[in-house]
Amino acid sequence: MLSQKTKTTDIGFTHEDFAALLDKYDYHFSPGDIVPGTVFSLEPRGALIDIGAKTAAYIPIQEMSINRVDNPDEVLQSNETREFFILTDENEDGQLTLSIRRIEYMRAWERVRQLQAEDATVRSLVFATNRGGALVRIEGLRGFIPGSHISTRAAKEDLVAQELPLKFLEVDEDRNRLVLSHRRALVERKMNRLEVGEVVIGSVRGIKPYGAFIDIGGVSGLLHISEISHDHIDTPHSVFNVNDELKVMIIDLDADRGRISLSTKQLEPEPGDMINNREVVFEKAEEMAQKYREKMLAQKQGITPESMTPEAVETQEPQESQEPQEPQQVQEPQEPQEPQQVQEPQEPQQVQEPQESQEPQQIQEPQESQEPQEEAVPEGEFVAAAIDE
């Protein structure tokens, strides 16, 4: 028999090399990573997720959504593939803990910052109230509306389940602060139809030592104590009562701060009328408001009472056209006639005769009659300036 020899070929790849190769291509997961995963088992209080690790990862029910979840199947379905956030490192069994809530949380803050940058108005339901204000949810995040920024006649407790338009006041992810304003949203909407210098009708909603809050069409404006009357007032309570109906003029609109400033002082025909004769103030409100608007327009254009004189002249175009013609008429007879009279030899005798007949006085008379015409312009300007004032 022939003996057969078995040849062993050395391929240079040992079991140790194979194990090292597996370790080289093994995935290493760290907390904070976002990885794709597939749901392969739903549990009563969570789910098992295949993310390619040696052991299936686990997501508890409280990490399945930024909102409340009672059952895992409200969020996840078997064999569904989606992104997961690695919440914690492997436990003693080599299992990772995952989260969907963290991904939604990060994206919600990003979306809210974008809405704030766009100065967008959002709508949300009030789900709770407390002593300080009301609580809402924006993009799944809990937001707070301070009581001072709630503009409604209803009690705070009655706001629950009501949908409110809101504006962003503060967005701070690091401090987990999301503050909104109902008042600013209403003011912005109302301000689109309001103008400074406009007279509106409102009712006294509340009285404070520093002024009165006036309800004008669902939004609240402040009538500061200094803007009630030209006369001194010790307290607004001495002038107003709650539910009093007033005519007030808007003197400032601040959309950023959600504030409307009002005045009755600017509507007074005479100082103290708001205290002594309120009805006169309301009767002449539109007339006084028009004067206020004219004054504000002049100030905006940089016109002062002194600088208003040329503009008053410009409004009197017929007088302007006459003023440059008058000096031309005065110079025309004097310039050609005077040199001709000097060259003639008989001029001395002719000059003395008109002096005796007081002809020079007659020459001066038209000049005197022209002087009051020239002075009529500043008088008209003074009247115009006084009216504007």
Side-chain angles (χ1 to χ4, degrees):
M1 295 180 63
L2 298 174
S3 61
Q4 296 180 352
K5 294 182 179 180
T6 303
K7 294 183 179 179
T8 302
T9 303
D10 187 7
I11 60 175
F13 194 81
T14 63
H15 291 289
E16 290 77 10
D17 295 332
F18 182 70
L21 185 63
L22 291 176
D23 291 337
K24 180 180 179 181
Y25 289 96
D26 188 20
Y27 289 105
H28 295 280
F29 301 99
S30 301
D33 291 346
I34 296 177
V35 297
T38 302
V39 180
F40 71 87
S41 177
L42 294 177
E43 305 293 333
R45 302 299 299 172
L48 295 175
I49 312 297
D50 180 12
I51 60 171
K54 296 177 181 179
T55 305
Y58 180 74
I59 178 171
I61 191 171
Q62 62 268 23
E63 291 294 332
M64 289 185 178
S65 176
I66 199 171
N67 300 311
R68 179 182 174 86
V69 177
D70 295 324
N71 296 302
D73 57 6
E74 296 177 8
V75 179
L76 299 175
Q77 302 294 327
S78 295
N79 298 320
E80 175 187 1
T81 300
R82 61 175 300 165
E83 289 183 330
F84 295 89
F85 180 90
I86 298 179
L87 191 62
T88 64
D89 210 341
E90 296 179 352
N91 58 16
E92 61 274 8
D93 298 326
Q95 190 176 60
L96 296 167
T97 302
L98 306 179
S99 175
I100 298 174
R101 175 176 168 272
R102 290 299 181 91
I103 296 177
E104 293 180 346
Y105 186 81
M106 292 185 295
R107 291 175 179 172
W109 279 109
E110 181 179 356
R111 175 60 178 159
V112 164
R113 284 192 294 270
Q114 180 182 358
L115 290 171
Q116 184 193 34
E118 296 172 355
D119 195 26
T121 299
V122 296
R123 303 186 69 89
S124 179
L125 292 174
V126 177
F127 69 86
T129 60
N130 54 32
R131 292 183 59 185
L135 300 176
V136 294
R137 292 194 183 278
I138 306 295
E139 298 291 329
L141 301 174
R142 176 177 292 190
F144 176 67
I145 311 173
S148 59
H149 281 269
I150 298 176
S151 184
T152 177
R153 296 180 180 180
K156 285 188 297 184
E157 295 75 13
D158 298 335
L159 292 176
V160 176
Q162 287 193 23
E163 187 179 59
L164 303 178
L166 303 168
K167 283 284 189 179
F168 293 96
L169 292 180
E170 182 179 358
V171 176
D172 191 337
E173 181 179 359
D174 296 334
R175 300 171 60 192
N176 196 28
R177 285 176 58 87
L178 180 57
V179 186
L180 304 109
S181 173
H182 175 232
R183 183 183 68 189
R184 183 183 166 197
L186 291 182
V187 169
E188 182 182 80
R189 184 172 61 185
K190 185 72 175 178
M191 284 173 62
N192 294 331
R193 303 188 295 269
L194 296 177
E195 295 181 358
V196 173
E198 180 181 357
V199 176
V200 294
I201 299 176
S203 59
V204 179
R205 178 181 175 185
I207 302 176
K208 302 292 182 181
Y210 52 84
F213 288 97
I214 313 299
D215 185 352
I216 51 173
V219 295
S220 181
L222 176 62
L223 176 59
H224 194 268
I225 188 172
S226 62
E227 286 296 332
I228 295 176
S229 176
H230 286 86
D231 284 0
H232 175 73
I233 296 174
D234 293 328
T235 172
H237 291 85
S238 63
V239 183
F240 303 122
N241 294 314
V242 175
N243 296 325
D244 280 358
E245 190 172 279
L246 308 174
K247 277 188 177 181
V248 293
M249 184 176 68
I250 300 170
I251 58 174
D252 186 57
L253 295 169
D254 190 341
D256 294 334
R257 301 168 67 184
R259 294 182 179 179
I260 301 177
S261 299
L262 307 172
S263 176
T264 54
K265 172 182 175 179
Q266 305 298 333
L267 299 179
E268 288 185 322
E270 296 294 336
D273 280 348
M274 195 60 200
I275 303 172
N276 304 320
N277 196 351
R278 188 184 303 182
E279 295 303 323
V280 173
V281 178
F282 297 159
E283 288 176 4
K284 297 187 176 181
E286 294 294 342
E287 178 183 346
M288 299 302 297
Q290 179 61 30
K291 292 182 179 180
Y292 176 85
R293 290 190 290 266
E294 292 174 356
K295 180 180 178 181
M296 291 299 101
L297 179 61
Q299 291 181 357
K300 186 177 181 180
Q301 295 175 348
I303 302 173
T304 61
E306 294 78 7
S307 62
M308 287 175 64
T309 302
E311 294 203 4
V313 175
E314 291 177 1
T315 59
Q316 301 175 354
E317 293 179 356
Q319 293 181 359
E320 285 184 353
S321 60
Q322 293 175 359
E323 286 177 1
Q325 293 176 359
E326 288 176 359
Q328 293 176 0
Q329 292 175 357
V330 173
Q331 293 175 359
E332 285 176 0
Q334 291 177 357
E335 290 177 359
Q337 291 176 0
E338 287 178 358
Q340 291 175 1
Q341 291 175 357
V342 172
Q343 293 175 359
E344 291 178 0
Q346 295 177 355
E347 283 181 356
Q349 296 176 356
Q350 292 177 355
V351 171
Q352 293 176 357
E353 289 177 358
Q355 288 178 354
E356 293 176 358
S357 60
Q358 297 181 351
E359 288 180 0
Q361 295 179 357
Q362 294 177 355
I363 296 172
Q364 293 177 356
E365 285 177 359
Q367 293 177 355
E368 291 177 357
S369 62
Q370 292 176 358
E371 288 178 359
Q373 292 179 358
E374 295 177 355
E375 292 177 357
V377 175
E379 286 178 2
E381 294 168 356
F382 177 77
V383 173
I387 292 175
D388 289 338
E389 291 179 354

